[in-house]
Amino acid sequence: MEDALPEETRSRSDARRNRKRLLDAATHVLRAEPATATMQSIARKAALSQATAYRHFPSVEALVAAYHEDVMTSLAEHGERSHKDGKELFEHQVTRWVKMQNVHGPVIVRFWSQRGFLERLQSADVMTTLSSQAWDRALRGVLVDLALPDVLLTVAQFLHQAMFDPREINDLMKTAGLPDEQVVRRLSDAFYGALRGWANTP
């Protein structure tokens, strides 16, 4: 295969850089004006034209979806690099997830679906599938450590989705004033208790 021409390489490099600038700008704009952010305000923050912004993303919703995908891919890679397992791996991922909410939480919440988790999981929703993959090894490890059957994986996914919602994590940190480590500890212990309770209910 012939090497790419210099201008083609430069064009691809510019496209990657502009995409990253838009995603970075979205962090700031959506934190400041989550309900009223527009492609125009995001493009302005990124110091790019509206036309350039629309070449990358057809709407704010599409930009936020790409942003969410990048966040979940980063979380998945964080777990894959870890040599931990069981509850230790789960809490390693939870710690990362809680820290991510300080920066990414307001943007992720903008994308939050109105459909329930199980409905999205059954319909093979892309973001739900990506999120499930990011947490799969950690949740399976928790089941092993708690001596619970693997058949409860969907229950673990459902409870995890409900209990580790970015909105509630931010509420615990900002409104309740809990430090990150307290959020991790309390939510993790509550999650283990909820799993045991579900498993022991006839």
Side-chain angles (χ1 to χ4, degrees):
M1 182 182 293
E2 294 183 5
D3 292 337
L5 296 174
E7 58 269 25
E8 292 173 341
T9 302
R10 185 165 54 251
S11 177
R12 285 198 296 268
S13 177
D14 288 346
R16 284 194 299 269
R17 183 168 57 252
N18 288 343
R19 182 182 187 278
K20 183 177 187 311
R21 284 169 65 178
L22 286 165
L23 291 172
D24 289 345
T27 305
H28 300 287
V29 175
L30 286 164
R31 282 168 67 92
E33 44 180 297
T36 59
T38 63
M39 287 298 284
Q40 182 178 11
S41 60
I42 293 170
R44 188 184 309 118
K45 182 68 176 178
L48 295 169
S49 70
Q50 253 186 282
T52 298
Y54 277 113
R55 275 199 296 274
H56 288 276
F57 304 104
S59 65
V60 174
E61 287 68 27
L63 189 156
V64 174
Y67 184 104
H68 192 185
E69 184 174 348
D70 281 1
V71 169
M72 296 314 301
T73 298
S74 170
L75 182 67
E77 291 170 350
H78 179 259
E80 288 164 5
R81 289 192 299 270
S82 175
H83 299 296
K84 303 175 187 297
D85 56 22
K87 291 195 294 185
E88 192 177 6
L89 171 62
F90 177 74
E91 291 175 25
H92 181 66
Q93 285 292 82
V94 171
T95 299
R96 176 72 169 181
W97 181 240
V98 168
K99 288 186 182 302
M100 292 173 99
Q101 300 320 308
N102 287 311
V103 177
H104 306 301
V107 185
I108 293 174
V109 167
R110 167 73 183 251
F111 180 76
W112 229 235
S113 174
Q114 297 302 305
R115 295 187 298 156
F117 170 74
L118 296 178
E119 181 185 347
R120 286 181 283 121
L121 186 65
Q122 290 175 2
S123 67
D125 171 77
V126 174
M127 283 298 105
T128 304
T129 300
L130 187 58
S131 176
S132 296
Q133 291 169 350
W135 288 98
D136 185 73
R137 188 163 72 93
L139 291 174
R140 289 181 188 276
V142 168
L143 293 175
V144 170
D145 276 9
L146 297 180
L148 297 174
D150 196 60
V151 71
L152 287 177
L153 178 61
T154 301
V155 170
Q157 292 172 326
F158 173 80
L159 291 173
H160 171 265
Q161 183 76 13
M163 297 176 72
F164 292 86
D165 185 316
R167 292 167 294 194
E168 312 312 335
I169 289 174
N170 274 294
D171 206 23
L172 288 173
M173 291 189 294
K174 293 181 171 56
T175 307
L178 295 180
D180 289 4
E181 58 273 15
Q182 282 282 344
V183 173
V184 172
R185 181 75 276 128
R186 294 185 185 194
L187 285 180
S188 295
D189 287 346
F191 174 68
Y192 304 147
L195 258 180
R196 289 191 183 99
W198 191 297
N200 293 329
T201 299

